[in-house]
Amino acid sequence: SIDHDDVASTTLPLIPMHQIPPRPWAYGRFLLFGSAAVVGAVDGGGKGAIAVVMALAVITGKPLLGEHVWRRGPVAIVTYEDDATEWHRRFAAACKHYGLDYEMVLANVRFIYRAKGRITFGRHGETGVEFPDSKGIIEQLSLFGPVLLIIDPFNHAHSLDDGNSNALVARVAGEMTRIAQETTCAVLVLHHLRKGSNGNPDDLMGATALRATFRSCRILARMTPEEGKALGMEREAWRCTRIAGSKENYAPPP
């Protein structure tokens, strides 16, 4: 038999309209405190460069990409593909371009890592998907209170054997969101696109649950030589990137 005694209904508590808090935006109308968002691009498509400049904007409080920074502060990074030297190159180049204090920027970036092995946001366990590093990640984030956590990239952030399983991917994406909620920081996840992608949210590699679970999704697309030729800038096409706001539920259309 099924026990229905726990099923109930309720109304919203009466909160005066002027006391309803606004949405907790962190970066533009894209990142929210306590939520996770994803940026997707092909290899070499610019997601790392965009993430670095977003990090600098958060650290300095300056709208370097034209989007408002609602609260400045430090940034945390979990990285899987690039070593420390490459991150030095990225931050140095971006600081030089924008005329920022390189030493100040580095002092406000912390990398979360495992002394042995790698950080994982989800793996197979005896009873299903488990999250062995979540507690440690939350403790590290709580130590210095970052405004933004960058995870680069999603497909290396778990050790599940089926990245096309909506059920499994949703568990990992949901855990990233839970970490954002627990620490009240904004989470930005970088992810790869399928081959032949054309700039829509379903181009994200693997299960569609990734897009469905995260609050916001943006897709990057490099300008093609043909598009550049039509605009009279064929030689500079490789420098230009289109940012598509493919899923931004709580914001007006871009």
Side-chain angles (χ1 to χ4, degrees):
S1 64
I2 299 176
D3 185 0
H4 299 288
D5 290 344
D6 291 335
V7 178
S9 64
T10 186
T11 60
L12 287 174
L14 180 58
I15 300 176
M17 286 191 288
H18 67 279
Q19 293 182 8
I20 299 173
R23 291 193 179 104
W25 293 112
Y27 179 85
R29 291 292 192 272
F30 178 46
L31 301 181
L32 285 155
F33 290 112
S35 293
V38 60
V39 167
V42 298
D43 285 338
K47 58 185 179 296
I50 290 287
V52 165
V53 180
M54 290 173 67
L56 296 186
V58 168
I59 291 169
T60 63
K62 298 180 179 180
L64 301 178
L65 295 174
E67 296 188 272
H68 183 69
V69 178
W70 296 85
R71 191 178 83 217
R72 60 177 295 187
V75 172
I77 299 175
V78 177
T79 182
Y80 298 96
E81 293 185 333
D82 298 305
D83 60 16
T85 302
E86 181 58 31
W87 282 99
H88 275 98
R89 293 187 187 107
R90 290 183 177 187
F91 282 116
C95 286
K96 184 176 181 179
H97 178 78
Y98 288 103
L100 302 177
D101 186 332
Y102 173 66
E103 292 185 13
M104 182 277 291
V105 166
L106 289 189
N108 281 278
V109 179
R110 295 187 70 87
F111 288 84
I112 299 176
Y113 67 96
R114 261 188 172 277
K116 296 180 180 179
R118 68 177 191 176
I119 293 286
T120 180
F121 288 85
R123 71 183 183 191
H124 291 290
E126 294 182 358
T127 59
V129 180
E130 61 183 20
F131 313 105
D133 291 327
S134 292
K135 182 179 179 181
I137 293 168
I138 291 171
E139 288 177 350
Q140 288 299 315
L141 294 175
S142 300
L143 285 175
F144 63 100
V147 170
L148 175 65
L149 166 63
I150 297 173
I151 302 170
D152 178 27
F154 179 83
N155 55 303
H156 290 335
H158 64 81
S159 57
L160 304 179
D161 53 16
D162 186 3
N164 292 309
S165 168
N166 279 306
L168 295 177
V169 167
R171 292 292 306 278
V172 177
E175 183 64 7
M176 291 175 174
T177 298
R178 188 188 72 83
I179 290 171
Q181 293 170 342
E182 189 82 11
T183 59
T184 62
C185 74
V187 173
L188 176 64
V189 182
L190 308 186
H191 194 37
H192 298 287
L193 300 184
R194 298 184 179 93
K195 291 183 179 179
S197 60
N198 57 15
N200 68 69
D202 289 331
D203 288 336
L204 289 171
M205 185 181 293
T208 57
L210 186 69
R211 171 181 59 82
T213 304
F214 287 148
R215 174 55 57 194
S216 304
C217 172
R218 285 183 176 179
I219 304 296
L220 308 183
R222 280 278 173 86
M223 182 181 288
T224 65
E226 293 74 21
E227 291 169 335
K229 185 176 182 180
L231 296 171
M233 50 186 298
E234 187 173 6
R235 293 183 178 180
E236 296 298 306
W238 66 276
R239 293 182 181 273
C240 299
T241 299
R242 173 169 57 87
I243 304 176
S246 303
K247 176 193 174 185
E248 298 186 16
N249 291 3
Y250 288 163

